[in-house]
Amino acid sequence: MNVLDSKIPLGDIREKWNSYKAGQQLVNPANKRKLDIIVIGTGLAGASAAASLGEMGFNVKVFCIQDSPRRAHSIAAQGGINAAKNYPNDGDSIWRLFYDTVKGGDYRAREANVYRLAELSNNIIDQCVAQGVPFAREYSGMLANRSFGGAQVSRTFYARGQTGQQLLLGAYGALSKEVARGTVQMFTRREMMDIVIVDGRARGVIVRNLVTGALERYSAHAVVLASGGYGNVFFLSTNAMSSNGSAIWHAYKKGAFMANPCFTQIHPTCIPVHGDYQSKLTLMSESLRNDGRIWTPKDKDVAERLRKGLMKASDIAEEDRDYYLERRYPAFGNLVPRDVASRAAKERCDDGFGVNNTGRAVFLDFKEAIQRLGKHTVEARYGNLFEMYERIVDENPYDTPMMIYPAVHYTMGGLWVDYELQTTVKGLFAAGEANFSDHGANRLGASALMQGLSDGYFILPYTLQNYLADQIREPVVPVSDNAFVETEKEVQKRIDTLLNVNGKTTVDTIHKHLGNIMWEYVGMAREKQGLMKAVDMIRDLRAEFWHDVRVPRRDGMNNELEKALRVADFLEMGELIARDALMREESCGGHFRIEYQTADGEALRNDKDFSFVAAYEYKGNDNAPVLHKEELEFENVEVKQRNYK
């Protein structure tokens, strides 16, 4: 029997969300004051959810791993946010945004969720404009749009190169208002350690105070996880250092299914690795591909001279440059989706045409854009990104092309959720990057901000209220309940075990080793033997971690303990990612199996056998997880080979 119930409303896809809202159960204002909700995470999804639920009248406790929600990783999404406003009058529509998203995800997303996302996109822009988000505007005053990968229309709203930051400030303002009103309690510098389950429902959390080191218990009628993705399992990624997958991983170990964990995104527009000393990579916004042109030398000898510092990019004549994306994909050019652009860059570098001293980079050139638009216009659009690049690389991108290379960025996988964003654990919801919803096997650029805000502002206020409607007679479970006591003991035991290993190897050393395994065998290109090798290597590394890791003992703040707890989870998570990639014998989106590709090197799907969401049920550390399948049905979009040529 299939245990996955997606709860998709019946009827035409254009009416499903309206139908759901019309039939939802409500909670009257007096009863809302009796219901408590916990929100983990204060990025766009968490902050918007907490603000919206607080404004509705619920009692909200929101937990922030940083010292302020303004430091959430959402600020790193620089390029923009999609919406189907069709302001440029270039043929956009809700239907086209829906279609582009399903196609961009290589037909591995649930149609109903994607259509709802496209439908709500316009509301998000109106909401954010009302909050004062300073979107770029045309001379006439109309909100400006630019293009992004995977679309042939301009639908991306932006605030220079800092869109995520401005949207987060808007959500932070809404959240701060509710904190001042008293409907929301803010707990900063806390990290969720585990979910508390009572009678099969999520009823609270155990968190660790990162300043004092104390474990704390919090109870509620429902829990929302908006804690982001797990890209840091690869060690080097564009994620903030504190970004981790531990919250959703412990939810998985408490009964919430993990969906499509192998669907990780490699972003094509990142500053290349420069040495072994790095702890993270820097994202250069995909918006740069809107005006920048990507190229490598046509001649391998020229590329070699560039790598040795014997030539400069400006020395290479126009006819000796290979604008390979424009050559291979004339219909979309430099604006192909991220997975396509990333693999193309890797292929050029693997074939010996890469630049930089490592050979792991391609050029992103703005010479033509500056000539066409003028330096002032380019500076107005991307100035802060150019400045950031110059500070890191010490080269002026107005005068010489940027160098970029793909890096781990976003995880399309996450907790399995139904149409209501509820996991397989009753009362436990997941929003934003923490869930698997909406993006399939590849996320289109400028869609992360859209999903996070749609989940928080416009979906959870309805679906969570629907769940809580029959919980108004249920009292909050006291934190003295045995379920809280036992869960806290489990957390403390895990901490004590780590502190007592007293080995010789640092946490960072093991994390870096894990990242090397993941990048080498579970990265941009995967194959059966490599994935099998990765599973064995990760198991051996996990055994080494628990035998030889060194975590210093200290009272209060202990950054090494924080890292060790997260890396312990990454070591388990990495194996599940590899196992999922091994199971999925096809190529789709960000999951590229070398054995399954077309004659011209594109991803080759197997719709007959793998058109499903892979949802894994935890069965213990020593047992293989159980795979459940949510079959994907496409009634509105024709499933076919992606073509951006």
Side-chain angles (χ1 to χ4, degrees), residues 528-577:
K528 183 177 181 179
Q529 294 302 319
L531 289 167
M532 293 172 66
K533 184 176 181 179
V535 170
D536 292 337
M537 292 177 73
I538 293 169
R539 283 179 173 177
D540 292 342
L541 185 62
R542 188 161 66 240
E544 178 186 343
F545 174 85
W546 287 105
H547 175 71
D548 196 43
V549 72
R550 181 168 184 81
V551 182
R553 284 183 175 273
R554 58 170 61 99
D555 295 331
M557 189 176 293
N558 189 339
N559 291 334
E560 288 301 304
L561 176 59
E562 293 173 32
K563 289 192 291 186
L565 288 164
R566 297 166 192 165
V567 171
D569 296 331
F570 283 145
L571 285 163
E572 297 175 358
M573 205 176 299
E575 182 178 340
L576 183 64
I577 294 170

Side-chain angles (χ1 to χ4, degrees), residues 296-308:
T296 60
K298 289 182 178 178
D299 192 305
K300 289 185 181 180
D301 291 336
V302 173
E304 179 65 21
R305 290 173 62 82
L306 282 167
R307 291 195 288 271
K308 291 180 177 179

Side-chain angles (χ1 to χ4, degrees), residues 38 40 63 65 190-196 204-208 210 223-225 227 244 246-251 428 491 494 569:
I38 286 172
I40 303 296
F63 294 84
I65 199 170
R190 264 79 167 188
E191 183 169 8
M192 195 200 90
M193 294 285 103
D194 214 340
I195 300 282
V196 178
V205 295
I206 305 296
V207 305
R208 182 171 178 270
L210 299 181
V223 177
V224 176
L225 298 184
S227 51
N244 64 86
S246 289
I248 61 173
W249 188 250
H250 289 290
L428 179 62
V491 173
R494 192 160 71 243
D569 296 331

Side-chain angles (χ1 to χ4, degrees), residues 18-38:
N18 287 333
S19 175
Y20 177 88
K21 291 188 292 183
Q24 69 153 147
Q25 298 184 73
L26 301 177
V27 180
N28 78 43
N31 285 332
K32 286 174 185 171
R33 294 192 291 269
K34 302 174 184 177
L35 293 167
D36 292 359
I37 301 169
I38 286 172

Side-chain angles (χ1 to χ4, degrees), residues 190-263:
R190 264 79 167 188
E191 183 169 8
M192 195 200 90
M193 294 285 103
D194 214 340
I195 300 282
V196 178
I197 308 292
V198 180
D199 297 330
R201 295 178 186 263
R203 292 301 194 190
V205 295
I206 305 296
V207 305
R208 182 171 178 270
N209 187 314
L210 299 181
V211 177
T212 67
L215 296 179
E216 301 170 353
R217 310 171 190 172
Y218 296 92
S219 182
H221 292 90
V223 177
V224 176
L225 298 184
S227 51
Y230 47 88
N232 273 343
V233 69
F234 288 81
F235 186 68
L236 285 180
S237 80
T238 66
N239 285 228
M241 295 298 291
S242 61
S243 297
N244 64 86
S246 289
I248 61 173
W249 188 250
H250 289 290
Y252 162 67
K253 296 177 84 167
K254 281 296 180 72
F257 292 3
M258 184 71 77
N260 296 339
C262 79
F263 287 169

Side-chain angles (χ1 to χ4, degrees), residues 143-219:
L143 293 181
N145 288 122
R146 58 187 176 202
S147 301
F148 253 64
Q152 292 179 304
V153 297
S154 294
R155 63 161 67 102
T156 303
F157 295 78
Y158 63 98
R160 210 177 180 203
Q162 50 187 234
T163 313
Q165 181 177 2
Q166 296 301 330
L167 292 172
L168 186 62
L169 289 173
Y172 176 65
L175 179 61
S176 297
K177 184 189 79 170
E178 297 309 313
V179 171
R181 286 181 60 208
T183 62
V184 175
Q185 286 181 276
M186 171 75 71
F187 298 89
T188 59
R189 300 296 292 158
R190 264 79 167 188
E191 183 169 8
M192 195 200 90
M193 294 285 103
D194 214 340
I195 300 282
V196 178
I197 308 292
V198 180
D199 297 330
R201 295 178 186 263
R203 292 301 194 190
V205 295
I206 305 296
V207 305
R208 182 171 178 270
N209 187 314
L210 299 181
V211 177
T212 67
L215 296 179
E216 301 170 353
R217 310 171 190 172
Y218 296 92
S219 182

